[in-house]
Amino acid sequence: VTVFEQEHFQGKCLEFTSECCNIQECGMDTIRSIRVESGAWVGFEHHDFQGQQFIMERGEYPHWDAYSGNISYHVERLMSFRPIYCASHQSSRMIIFERENFMGRNAELCDDYPSLQAMGWMMPEVGSMHVQCGAFVCYQFPGYRGQQYIMECERHSGDYQHWRNWGSHCQTPQIQSIRRIQH
Amino acid sequence: VTVFEQEHFQGKCLEFTSECCNIQECGMDTIRSIRVESGAWVGFEHHDFQGQQFIMERGEYPHWDAYSGNISYHVERLMSFRPIYCASHQSSRMIIFERENFMGRNAELCDDYPSLQAMGWMMPEVGSMHVQCGAFVCYQFPGYRGQQYIMECERHSGDYQHWRNWGSHCQTPQIQSIRRIQH
């Protein structure tokens, strides 16, 4: 991944092949555009992988603000990032549970779901999740919009017991679309 | 689809089973939350299906602003909407072309592509498109983010010769992710 201090891939730039826990310690004030050359990455609002999460897949992000933009939440920065450990698309698998601590009704997911309700999940929330294989992005709203949470088999043994574990700024169990992450 | 004048499904509400070309002519000033009960819909910034487009799939949208939010483009309203004519997920099919008027290199798509570049499309733009079956959402950025354009087989015979046909406010041929729409 190559990150740039200005929009449209201008200004100071740095290339990374592994995680960066604080872009300012690498001598860059801020990130305004990004080019992902390979792999899938997760970017974080704060250093040390804290705060809001953003999935970054192969392609060009000429205006970080436009990409991350969310009127309900104005502080938008990209301060740290790391690669995501994905499985092959076909073998990605997770279970979502109605209640926290893996209780209540559940459903196994092994595809992309732009609307969980359309596939039969009756509520706009998820209580807890277990990623069996691969990595997924979960979104607050249908159609892959709103707050994002990256869920990986390789982290926390794939266990996400409570919405407070989904991300350091997560404030709601609302999840309405989920998709697999692939390289 | 049920639309509400206030956030969190409060205030005056109206239920629709078919298109609405001007919500103000239905006696509602603005839409702040939405519940999609069935089908897939496209919402528009202006009346008569003009301006920025937003896909709306089954589920709850308690804050329209947070859903549609895009810092690069501040005027966000929902003034008209209509159902989308989808095919079954398996039979959805479209072709993207490098240049306008269906010229240059092309690729056939029949799946969801969070990153066109990851699947081998070498540039961040698309010149023209032909939808053979079903309906798709095309996005400016990878990961289903940024400006959205709904492309339907049932409209314009599925032909989108030039980026100026993609939507009434489209200002760039940049398209980096595409996915199928299903009911």
Side-chain angles (χ1 to χ4, degrees):
Chain A
V1 60
T2 311
V3 298
F4 299 80
E5 210 163 44
Q6 301 300 326
E7 296 198 333
H8 285 294
F9 320 111
Q10 304 289 311
K12 190 189 286 185
C13 77
L14 290 171
E15 191 177 314
F16 292 86
T17 55
S18 64
E19 69 177 35
C20 166
C21 68
N22 189 341
I23 193 70
Q24 291 181 335
E25 288 179 358
C26 300
M28 200 176 251
D29 269 352
T30 183
I31 296 174
R32 292 230 170 76
S33 53
I34 297 161
R35 195 174 270 136
V36 177
E37 315 270 358
S38 93
W41 297 69
V42 50
F44 294 85
E45 182 190 3
H46 300 305
H47 55 77
D48 295 313
F49 318 116
Q50 300 294 310
Q52 232 190 129
Q53 306 168 27
F54 301 96
I55 171 114
M56 308 189 297
E57 285 151 305
R58 192 169 154 179
E60 301 193 351
Y61 304 81
H63 312 274
W64 177 255
D65 280 355
Y67 173 71
S68 66
N70 185 330
I71 281 176
S72 68
Y73 190 77
H74 281 274
V75 186
E76 299 293 345
R77 295 180 304 173
L78 179 67
M79 291 291 284
S80 56
F81 46 85
R82 60 172 177 76
I84 298 168
Y85 302 101
C86 311
S88 90
H89 218 212
Q90 281 69 35
S91 58
S92 298
R93 215 163 60 248
M94 74 181 287
I95 306 177
I96 57 174
F97 296 85
E98 187 184 1
R99 305 213 324 268
E100 55 193 62
N101 290 314
F102 319 113
M103 299 202 297
R105 294 195 321 142
N106 64 70
E108 190 175 71
L109 310 183
C110 52
D111 199 349
D112 296 346
Y113 302 90
S115 164
L116 288 180
Q117 288 188 49
M119 73 108 190
W121 190 254
M122 297 310 290
M123 52 220 152
E125 293 97 24
V126 169
S128 49
M129 300 184 250
H130 174 64
V131 182
Q132 298 165 291
C133 184
F136 291 79
V137 207
C138 303
Y139 296 86
Q140 187 182 6
F141 301 123
Y144 312 126
R145 304 278 286 190
Q147 298 271 342
Q148 314 177 8
Y149 314 103
I150 313 296
M151 307 294 180
E152 290 157 282
C153 172
E154 300 291 321
R155 305 240 159 205
H156 318 286
S157 315
D159 286 335
Y160 297 88
Q161 288 96 330
H162 190 282
W163 55 265
R164 288 194 189 88
N165 309 128
W166 300 350
S168 65
H169 280 205
C170 182
Q171 294 178 344
T172 156
Q174 195 170 56
I175 287 188
Q176 298 191 74
S177 51
I178 296 181
R179 67 182 177 89
R180 297 163 295 174
I181 303 171
Q182 59 187 314
H183 279 302
Chain B
V1 60
T2 310
V3 298
F4 300 80
E5 211 163 43
Q6 300 300 326
E7 296 199 334
H8 285 291
F9 320 111
Q10 304 288 313
K12 191 189 285 185
C13 77
L14 290 170
E15 190 177 314
F16 292 86
T17 54
S18 64
E19 68 178 36
C20 165
C21 68
N22 188 341
I23 192 70
Q24 291 180 336
E25 287 180 0
C26 301
M28 201 177 251
D29 269 352
T30 183
I31 296 174
R32 291 226 171 78
S33 54
I34 297 162
R35 194 173 273 137
V36 177
E37 316 269 358
S38 94
W41 298 69
V42 51
F44 295 85
E45 180 190 4
H46 300 305
H47 55 77
D48 295 313
F49 318 116
Q50 301 294 309
Q52 235 193 124
Q53 305 169 27
F54 301 96
I55 171 112
M56 307 189 298
E57 286 151 303
R58 191 168 155 182
E60 301 192 353
Y61 305 80
H63 313 274
W64 177 254
D65 280 356
Y67 173 72
S68 66
N70 185 331
I71 281 175
S72 69
Y73 189 78
H74 282 273
V75 186
E76 299 293 346
R77 294 182 303 174
L78 179 68
M79 291 291 284
S80 56
F81 47 86
R82 60 172 177 75
I84 297 169
Y85 301 101
C86 311
S88 89
H89 218 212
Q90 281 69 35
S91 58
S92 298
R93 214 163 61 246
M94 74 180 288
I95 307 178
I96 57 174
F97 296 85
E98 187 183 359
R99 305 212 325 267
E100 55 193 62
N101 291 313
F102 318 113
M103 299 203 297
R105 292 194 323 141
N106 65 70
E108 189 174 74
L109 309 183
C110 53
D111 199 348
D112 296 346
Y113 302 91
S115 163
L116 288 180
Q117 288 189 49
M119 73 109 191
W121 190 252
M122 296 311 289
M123 54 222 151
E125 294 96 24
V126 169
S128 50
M129 301 183 250
H130 174 64
V131 181
Q132 296 165 292
C133 184
F136 290 80
V137 207
C138 302
Y139 296 86
Q140 186 181 7
F141 301 123
Y144 311 127
R145 304 276 286 191
Q147 297 272 342
Q148 314 178 7
Y149 313 103
I150 312 296
M151 307 292 181
E152 289 157 282
C153 172
E154 300 290 322
R155 307 240 158 204
H156 319 286
S157 315
D159 287 336
Y160 298 88
Q161 288 97 331
H162 190 281
W163 55 265
R164 288 193 189 86
N165 310 127
W166 299 350
S168 64
H169 279 206
C170 182
Q171 294 177 345
T172 157
Q174 195 171 57
I175 287 188
Q176 298 192 74
S177 52
I178 296 181
R179 66 181 178 90
R180 298 163 294 175
I181 303 171
Q182 59 187 315
H183 279 303

